[in-house]
Amino acid sequence: VISVVGLSHKSAPIEVRERFALPAERVPELLRSVVAHPAVGEALLVSTCNRVELVVAPRAGASLEAAAAACREALAALAPGAPASALYALTGGAAVRHLFGVAASLDSLVLGEPQILGQVKEAYEVAQRTGTVGSVLHRTLARAIRAAKHVRSGTAIGAGQVSVPSVAVDFARRIFGDLRGRTLLLVGSGEMAETVARSLLSSGARLLVIGRTPEKVRALAESFGGEPCAWNDLALALERADVVITSTSAPGFVVDPAHVASARKKRRGRSQFFIDLAVPRDVNPEIESLDGIFLYNVDDLSRVVAESLLTRGREAVQAQSIIDEEAKSFDRWADAEQATPLVVALRERIRGALRFELERSLRGRLRHLGAAEREALDTMLDAAVNRVLHEPTTRLRQAASVGDLDTPSFPELNSAIEHVFSLEGGRVSSDPLRSERPEREGASSVPRSGAAELEAASSDPLAVDLDAAADLSAGVSGSR
Amino acid sequence: MSALATIAFYLGVIAYSAASTLFFLELARQSVQASRSAWGPRVLAAGAVVHSVHIVVASLVLKRCPVESLHFGLSFSALVAVAAFLLLRRHANLDPMGVIVAPIALTFLVGAQFVGVDLEPEQLVSRPLLVSHVTANVLGLGLFVVAGASGLLYLLQERRLRDKRAGGVASRLPSLDALDRTTHRLLLGGFPLLTFGVVTGAIFSRQFDSFAGAALARTLFGFATWFLLAGVLVLRRLAGVRGRRAAYGTVAGVLCVLLVVLIYVVRPGGHS
């Protein structure tokens, strides 16, 4: 059904990936150039800091491999001279499984991170605005999103925090709830401490900065919009601080139990959260015995990160089985879709014949009928075609999707029906009886509208209405 | 009329049971996705409405003012607890407390059915004093039940933070700060009621022929509870004692309150 060609953090280092990075405004241009290729019918580009992947559906008559080759060419043109081995190409079921896994964050650098699903939806919306998605990618993306949601709701793949700053913020929230209006004291400086401080500040905390070098303190406070404090005012700053981050290069403890006990008394027992990121440690661990005082050092935070990653890794096994199940279900749908062109042609043939006869009668013995009667006859004709073709359609779809040793295979049925009804390659051959297929309201080769429609389709993916499928198939500009 | 009371009772039982289950499932859910809607509080609120209908209709049928009867008093205090919880949860994310409040409301609603309708000192004390005594106790009990739930969750959350454990149930519990504030507010609200209840209870006890046995135990536990909770409030005010110690004090005080109620319920001849 689809091909996926691209590169990710698993196949290429950042020096290679950055050469393939494409500004957002150039994505439509790339997509248009890809679908201009004779082998490609539909295309979208998933572009994140960890991956650049073209997802395409081939045109009618073109193979998945040909579509993949076209994608490879298009991507290679983005980064001339980049190693070809960085690009991988997946086709058919493997591509579907890969796309589902990507949407479910099983292929992400940080397993279970939630952003990727939004990025996949965004990729679809961009492609839709550009006009490069049709029914195949629409259905595939809807299934991918459904699978991703299933994984997130059915497993703990997104449980816990997987970075030191996010763990620190999580614990701070468990102590204080809302961090707005809380005071954060940064003692010393350091890359990790500043990152943690930035995370806490983004939640609305106020910042005090204290250190032994006044110039550094002032510069740091300015860069964060905080308040600089003199080193001698440490005790005073401790009284004001709800969260204290320490990261000095002092050889011994900077904060000891006497400091904290005194501050605690002045704070009338309000809780304090100490995050000691220094090695050697800045905060004497004895302060933990004080009621309402919580101390976490870099090992504590790292251990929580490791536990979260371990949990996510365990959950990934279950998540993968969900993805496999969803992909299998999608494969069945895609297989059944093979029958659609034949069903459409058969329907056209029978309806055309009946309509021809009906129109002849309406011009002759039935010419006295009024508009209402004519409309009723038209409706009856449609109902009759549906009734006659219901069972054959079901059997054709079954043959296409599951197959059965006791019954003829789909290719056999296909050629037999084509032969008996004079259909050519799933199309009605030139035929004097052929009549125009009436336009159906709402039928279109291109799905109706962006992510909202994707959501709807993902919540009811099995609602593959025969007529709608037939209309889509008839309308899609050859993307099968 | 009595059929309406019975129907309201059973609907209350169903709603409280469903709310308990929903709160539990929400707390135990594995997924990190937030649930789309807070059904637990809604079902609990629906339970409170039918519970109110039950109390009003049943008291009319039995011709008993709800605050003149331990039967209705217990049931009414559960209603107060639910109402207090539903009001407080609007100001902070306290929904997980429902996992304690909803089952307690259910227990009180059902348990009240096994308690006699008449009050023991009915013939001995003045009616206005009795009504005031029971009203204060009923309201106080309702508030203390929620305070106890809040104190328990504080201890659980605090334990998890001391263990430096992330994820799991604790990550869905309210913050320590919110729990501490909630406990304190409820104690502040319930303490004057407790004081009034203890004082009037002591007056009633002195009017009995024999100030001994269950009545004596009740009075003693009543005073012990008062001292315990007064200690929690005073120490917080004067010495800034809050957090774990205050939570332990609160939970102990609430257990004493429940013990006093239990002694009253199981007194000789006190149950139907």
Side-chain angles (χ1 to χ4, degrees):
Chain A
V1 178
I2 61 165
S3 299
V4 174
V5 179
L7 73 169
S8 72
H9 60 98
K10 287 184 175 170
S11 72
I14 189 160
E15 308 85 68
V16 177
R17 291 204 309 275
E18 65 194 4
R19 294 175 65 183
F20 286 87
L22 194 64
E25 63 273 12
R26 282 189 55 204
V27 172
E29 178 193 329
L30 173 74
L31 292 176
R32 274 192 286 268
S33 73
V34 171
V35 292
H37 192 282
V40 181
E42 303 173 33
L44 64 84
L45 181 78
V46 179
S47 177
T48 72
C49 52
N50 289 318
R51 73 182 62 248
V52 176
E53 286 179 348
L54 266 171
V55 182
V56 297
R59 276 183 198 274
S63 67
L64 291 167
E65 288 70 23
C71 292
R72 199 180 268 278
E73 269 174 40
L75 286 178
L78 293 177
S85 59
L87 291 173
Y88 47 75
L90 301 162
T91 55
V96 169
R97 274 168 184 74
H98 176 78
L99 179 63
F100 284 16
V102 167
S105 189
L106 294 183
D107 200 52
S108 297
L109 184 60
V110 178
L111 193 65
E113 54 93 3
Q115 287 83 17
I116 185 67
L117 185 56
Q119 288 164 332
V120 169
K121 284 182 187 172
E122 171 69 18
Y124 172 80
E125 284 178 347
V126 169
Q128 197 186 34
R129 282 198 296 273
T130 313
T132 58
V133 285
S135 64
V136 176
L137 285 190
H138 171 69
R139 284 282 176 189
T140 313
L141 265 289
R143 288 292 187 116
I145 289 166
R146 186 180 82 150
K149 285 182 175 175
H150 189 175
V151 165
R152 290 200 84 76
S153 62
T155 71
I157 192 80
Q161 306 298 332
V162 289
S163 71
V164 167
S166 55
V167 169
V169 172
D170 185 46
F171 279 117
R173 283 191 197 285
R174 281 171 58 185
I175 296 169
F176 302 109
D178 192 354
L179 295 176
R180 269 177 301 181
R182 299 285 176 180
T183 303
L184 165 65
L185 172 63
L186 184 56
V187 185
S189 60
E191 196 182 332
M192 178 64 83
E194 287 167 29
T195 313
V196 173
R198 197 169 285 117
S199 296
L200 288 163
L201 289 173
S202 67
S203 304
R206 283 191 303 262
L207 179 70
L208 303 177
V209 184
I210 199 165
R212 291 183 196 273
T213 318
E215 298 77 34
K216 263 175 114 176
V217 168
R218 262 197 302 279
L220 197 57
E222 260 175 41
S223 70
F224 281 107
E227 180 187 332
C229 300
W231 184 252
N232 292 338
D233 292 337
L234 178 61
L236 210 61
L238 280 175
E239 287 171 24
R240 292 171 63 191
D242 298 299
V243 181
V244 181
I245 301 173
T246 62
S247 180
T248 76
S249 51
F253 295 133
V254 173
V255 177
D256 57 39
H259 276 123
V260 180
S262 161
R264 191 176 163 277
K265 206 170 175 183
K266 302 245 171 58
R267 289 172 55 80
R268 304 197 55 74
R270 280 181 289 131
S271 302
Q272 264 186 315
F273 180 30
F274 287 82
I275 304 169
D276 186 355
L277 298 173
V279 179
R281 290 173 294 173
D282 281 337
V283 183
N284 189 330
E286 285 175 20
I287 68 162
E288 277 194 281
S289 60
L290 296 169
D291 194 10
I293 303 296
F294 301 91
L295 168 63
Y296 285 64
N297 61 35
V298 73
D299 274 6
D300 297 326
L301 298 173
S302 302
R303 200 189 58 247
V304 171
V305 169
E307 280 172 6
S308 297
L309 287 172
L310 202 66
T311 305
R312 290 187 180 198
R314 280 197 297 264
E315 291 298 311
V317 178
Q318 196 192 336
Q320 190 57 55
S321 68
I322 291 174
I323 291 296
D324 289 344
E325 198 50 49
E326 291 281 352
K328 242 185 248 174
S329 153
F330 181 80
D331 286 346
R332 282 195 293 273
W333 170 80
D335 287 343
E337 279 297 280
Q338 289 178 69
T340 299
L342 183 64
V343 169
V344 171
L346 192 57
R347 202 181 151 83
E348 261 187 73
R349 163 69 78 204
I350 292 173
R351 196 177 189 288
L354 292 176
R355 175 156 274 284
F356 181 83
E357 290 303 325
L358 178 63
E359 280 172 3
R360 204 159 61 173
S361 299
L362 288 173
R363 285 196 301 272
R365 293 170 64 185
L366 297 178
R367 65 176 173 275
H368 60 281
L369 294 182
E373 285 88 355
R374 284 167 188 259
E375 198 177 319
L377 276 174
D378 206 39
T379 307
M380 188 199 73
L381 189 143
D382 271 343
V385 172
N386 284 342
R387 186 168 285 272
V388 166
L389 285 182
H390 175 72
E391 191 64 23
T393 300
T394 307
R395 290 189 180 207
L396 280 171
R397 286 183 176 282
Q398 273 175 353
S401 60
V402 290
D404 190 342
L405 288 176
D406 299 332
T407 57
S409 68
F410 176 70
E412 286 169 343
L413 286 172
N414 192 17
S415 63
I417 290 171
E418 281 181 359
H419 178 71
V420 169
F421 288 92
S422 301
L423 307 173
E424 290 171 2
R427 291 163 195 272
V428 181
S429 61
S430 60
D431 181 12
L433 299 181
R434 183 179 175 189
S435 64
E436 284 300 312
R437 179 183 170 77
E439 282 299 318
R440 272 180 183 279
E441 228 176 279
S444 162
S445 63
V446 179
R448 288 157 288 183
S449 67
E453 216 259 339
L454 260 187
E455 295 273 352
S458 68
S459 64
D460 187 16
L462 297 176
V464 185
D465 174 61
L466 171 64
D467 290 346
D471 289 339
L472 285 169
S473 176
V476 168
S477 53
S479 64
R480 209 176 319 283
Chain B
M1 192 76 153
S2 66
L4 180 60
T6 308
I7 290 169
F9 169 76
Y10 282 116
L11 285 177
V13 169
I14 290 168
Y16 284 158
S17 306
S20 305
T21 310
L22 287 168
F23 280 120
F24 177 77
L25 289 177
E26 177 60 18
L27 201 59
R29 73 186 151 82
Q30 192 184 31
S31 163
V32 291
Q33 280 184 333
S35 58
R36 287 185 183 170
S37 56
W39 280 103
R42 289 178 194 178
V43 176
L44 189 65
V49 171
V50 288
H51 189 167
S52 313
V53 172
H54 164 70
I55 290 175
V56 171
V57 176
S59 61
L60 287 174
V61 169
L62 295 170
K63 296 189 175 67
R64 281 284 182 282
C65 174
V67 289
E68 282 183 347
S69 153
L70 182 62
H71 169 90
F72 289 118
L74 274 180
S75 188
F76 194 62
S77 55
L79 194 60
V80 171
V82 170
F85 165 67
L86 291 173
L87 281 175
L88 285 168
R89 69 172 283 277
R90 298 175 64 174
H91 303 291
N93 175 28
L94 298 172
D95 282 2
M97 274 170 59
V99 85
I100 299 177
V101 174
I104 286 181
L106 177 65
T107 309
F108 276 33
L109 174 63
V110 175
Q113 302 303 308
F114 302 99
V115 177
V117 170
D118 293 324
L119 280 175
E120 186 181 84
E122 195 175 21
Q123 310 300 322
L124 303 171
V125 297
S126 72
R127 192 169 179 277
L129 198 60
L130 176 70
V131 168
S132 312
H133 171 76
V134 177
T135 304
N137 284 344
V138 160
L139 292 174
L141 179 59
L143 297 182
F144 286 141
V145 161
V146 187
S150 179
L152 269 178
L153 291 191
Y154 182 98
L155 293 173
L156 181 62
Q157 177 72 288
E158 203 254 4
R159 186 70 262 157
R160 294 285 295 185
L161 281 163
R162 293 256 173 238
D163 290 344
K164 299 175 183 176
R165 303 284 298 276
V169 169
S171 63
R172 285 185 271 280
L173 292 180
S175 68
L176 286 183
D177 207 48
L179 289 168
D180 185 60
R181 241 179 308 130
T182 302
T183 309
H184 183 59
R185 283 177 187 169
L186 288 163
L187 284 192
L188 281 179
F191 190 72
L193 299 166
L194 172 71
T195 307
F196 185 81
V198 167
V199 171
T200 49
I203 293 171
F204 295 157
S205 296
R206 286 176 62 82
Q207 292 180 9
F208 295 156
D209 292 338
S210 57
F211 184 61
L216 179 62
R218 229 162 50 222
T219 308
L220 288 178
F221 268 112
F223 278 114
T225 306
W226 189 90
F227 277 112
L228 203 54
L229 295 178
V232 170
L233 289 171
V234 169
L235 284 173
R236 184 186 180 105
R237 177 77 184 160
L238 298 182
V241 174
R242 57 172 86 197
R244 184 175 53 209
R245 288 179 200 167
Y248 274 127
T250 304
V251 171
V254 173
L255 286 177
C256 284
V257 169
L258 293 173
L259 202 58
V260 172
V261 174
L262 189 67
I263 291 170
Y264 192 85
V265 169
V266 301
R267 73 193 188 281
H271 51 84
S272 57

